[in-house]
Amino acid sequence: MKAFFASLGKRRTYVVIELFFVYLALGVGLIMLGSVLPQLRAAYALDYQTGGALLFAQSIGYLGIGLVTGVLSVKLGLKRAYLLLSALLPLGLLMLLTNGAPLWLMTAMLLTGLSKGAITDYNNRIMSEYADGQAAPLNLMHAFFAIGACVAPLLVLFCLGRGQDGWRLAMILCLVLLAAALVFGLFMHMDDERSTDAYQAPAGGGFGFFRDRLFLQTTAMGFFYQAVEASMMGWLTSFYVDSGALKAGAAQVVTSLLWVSLLVGRFACSVIAAHWRPWQMTLVMCAGIGLFLVLMVCGTTLPLLLLSTIGLGLCMSGMYGTLVSNAGVVFNRYPAAMGLFVTLTGIGAALAPAMVGVVADYAGIRWGFASLLVAALLLIVAAVVNARYFRRTPQ
């Protein structure tokens, strides 16, 4: 890591700080939405299916934005496109505070999803280029998301203690943080550091990655991982509370524990990445996700819920950054690959939370969560296929 930061000039260092700051704010904003979902549903009299539809709308924005991020960076310039799309997240949060009409709420969540997808796309493209395919800087960047995610449930818990509308106060504080990240970004020189020409597909081979087995198997892992992660982010607090396993205050604390584990795990992955190859890390993490998700679905006691929460956090911690490194050679060869990777994996993030909501309405939240075990099983299968590929391919 020292060598990485030493290789950055002054302008690139400022850009990296902005990437970290925005990911921190993104972590607070997205996890806060999941943490206040029970209060938001109560305030606007929404059922599980409508709650799932909100998460689905967010995920639709997330998967769709990858189709236009490259075009916008060429037309507007990378910095302008980055700031414009980042601003959609605070706009969406503001809309959630002002009206409870389902269509209005879904539009607001769509905007948060567009912003989430754009930030994920741009941040990972830029950091992947700066890091030259190394997993450690990518995992460190994702650690800042985990820091924000750790803070969000505790902030919600503090604000809920201030009164019935405490969830609104929490979202207002989040808006202030997001605005600060945007102001900080106004002073960076992102376009000077990365030519917008890099986002244009090379003539005759811009989409050759669709024939690349490495891209396909990495995308499959990303698809099923995003299905689990998006459902966790949106439904975890509701699962703890509505299943009767935990009271509201305890649920916020245990949700925060998940992200503390993610934070610890991401720093650990930054160290482990220096000794393990990405395919080895993904194999272990995918197996762990499946194991601890089973424990969570079956768990009814606090010790078992704590164990499964911590285990899931540690196993999920480095997945996204490691997946980017797993196919780093493809993303560097084909500039359009990252945007399509975000889009295709985002389909999993769009479908799974909605599926959880539908099953929960008919059979209860615990069975809704149990439906994620299908995604976990397929995630493990994809990781095994990926491992076999690397074992057979000369390194």
Side-chain angles (χ1 to χ4, degrees):
M1 289 301 297
K2 288 183 179 179
F4 167 71
F5 284 105
S7 68
L8 301 174
K10 183 178 179 180
R11 288 184 173 181
R12 283 194 171 193
T13 299
Y14 193 99
V15 172
V16 168
I17 293 172
E18 166 68 4
L19 299 184
F20 288 174
F21 191 4
V22 168
Y23 248 36
L24 172 72
L26 183 68
V28 173
L30 293 181
I31 304 309
M32 181 172 291
L33 285 175
S35 295
V36 303
L37 186 58
Q39 289 75 28
L40 187 146
R41 285 196 299 109
Y44 296 138
L46 308 176
D47 58 17
Y48 281 123
Q49 195 162 343
T50 305
L54 295 182
L55 297 175
F56 178 74
Q58 182 185 63
S59 298
I60 287 294
Y62 176 79
L63 70 90
I65 194 64
L67 299 174
V68 299
T69 48
V71 174
L72 285 178
S73 64
V74 172
K75 299 296 183 182
L76 303 178
L78 181 55
K79 176 180 173 179
R80 290 189 184 91
Y82 183 85
L83 294 176
L84 175 64
L85 295 175
S86 297
L88 296 180
L89 179 56
L91 176 60
L93 295 182
L94 185 62
M95 291 175 64
L96 290 174
L97 290 169
T98 58
N99 195 294
L103 185 58
W104 177 267
L105 294 175
M106 283 191 280
T107 302
M109 292 295 281
L110 178 68
L111 293 180
T112 66
L114 290 170
S115 188
K116 174 191 174 185
I119 292 171
T120 301
D121 185 349
Y122 288 141
N123 279 31
N124 281 283
R125 286 197 214 186
I126 295 166
M127 186 61 75
S128 182
E129 182 197 6
Y130 286 5
D132 195 24
Q134 298 176 64
L138 284 159
N139 279 320
L140 181 59
M141 181 181 70
H142 285 269
F144 278 83
F145 181 96
I147 294 173
C150 291
V151 171
L154 299 179
L155 180 61
V156 171
L157 182 60
F158 172 79
C159 291
L160 289 177
R162 309 278 75 79
Q164 185 176 1
D165 287 333
W167 66 277
R168 295 181 182 273
L169 174 61
M171 293 182 69
I172 290 170
L173 293 176
C174 181
L175 282 170
V176 173
L177 179 63
L178 289 163
L182 287 172
V183 171
F184 189 84
L186 292 174
F187 300 97
M188 65 182 173
H189 297 276
M190 186 181 287
D191 286 332
D192 294 337
E193 292 299 324
R194 182 176 175 86
S195 170
T196 54
D197 290 341
Y199 288 94
Q200 302 181 55
F207 295 95
F209 53 87
F210 279 120
R211 298 186 298 273
D212 193 304
R213 181 177 170 184
L214 178 57
F215 174 79
L216 295 176
Q217 62 203 30
T218 303
T219 300
M221 287 189 288
F223 178 94
F224 297 116
Y225 168 69
Q226 289 274 46
V228 175
E229 183 197 58
S231 300
M232 286 286 175
M233 291 169 63
W235 284 115
L236 186 60
T237 303
S238 296
F239 168 74
Y240 288 143
V241 175
D242 296 348
S243 67
L246 298 173
K247 295 187 181 299
Q252 298 289 354
V253 173
V254 177
T255 299
S256 183
L257 182 62
L258 171 72
W259 294 99
V260 171
S261 303
L262 277 162
L263 175 61
V264 172
R266 281 173 180 168
F267 282 116
C269 284
S270 298
V271 176
I272 295 171
H275 306 283
W276 284 34
R277 293 175 180 170
W279 67 266
Q280 295 171 318
M281 294 176 66
T282 55
L283 184 61
V284 173
M285 288 187 286
C286 291
I289 288 171
L291 171 64
F292 289 111
L293 186 57
V294 169
L295 293 179
M296 177 174 285
V297 169
C298 298
T300 56
T301 63
L302 181 59
L304 195 56
L305 289 175
L306 289 175
L307 175 63
S308 59
T309 299
I310 294 171
L312 273 170
L314 292 174
C315 293
M316 291 169 59
S317 59
M319 272 295 295
Y320 202 93
T322 305
L323 285 174
V324 173
S325 297
N326 186 73
V329 63
V330 179
F331 295 134
N332 289 335
R333 185 184 309 146
Y334 300 99
M338 181 60 76
L340 270 296
F341 175 77
V342 170
T343 298
L344 295 173
T345 59
I347 296 174
L351 296 177
M355 176 187 67
V356 171
V358 170
V359 175
D361 254 348
Y362 285 97
I365 189 65
R366 190 174 293 276
W367 281 105
F369 240 61
S371 63
L372 294 175
L373 294 175
V374 176
L377 176 61
L378 294 173
L379 174 63
I380 294 171
V381 171
V384 170
V385 171
N386 185 65
R388 287 170 59 88
Y389 168 84
F390 276 99
R391 284 173 177 157
R392 294 175 177 179
T393 303
Q395 302 296 307

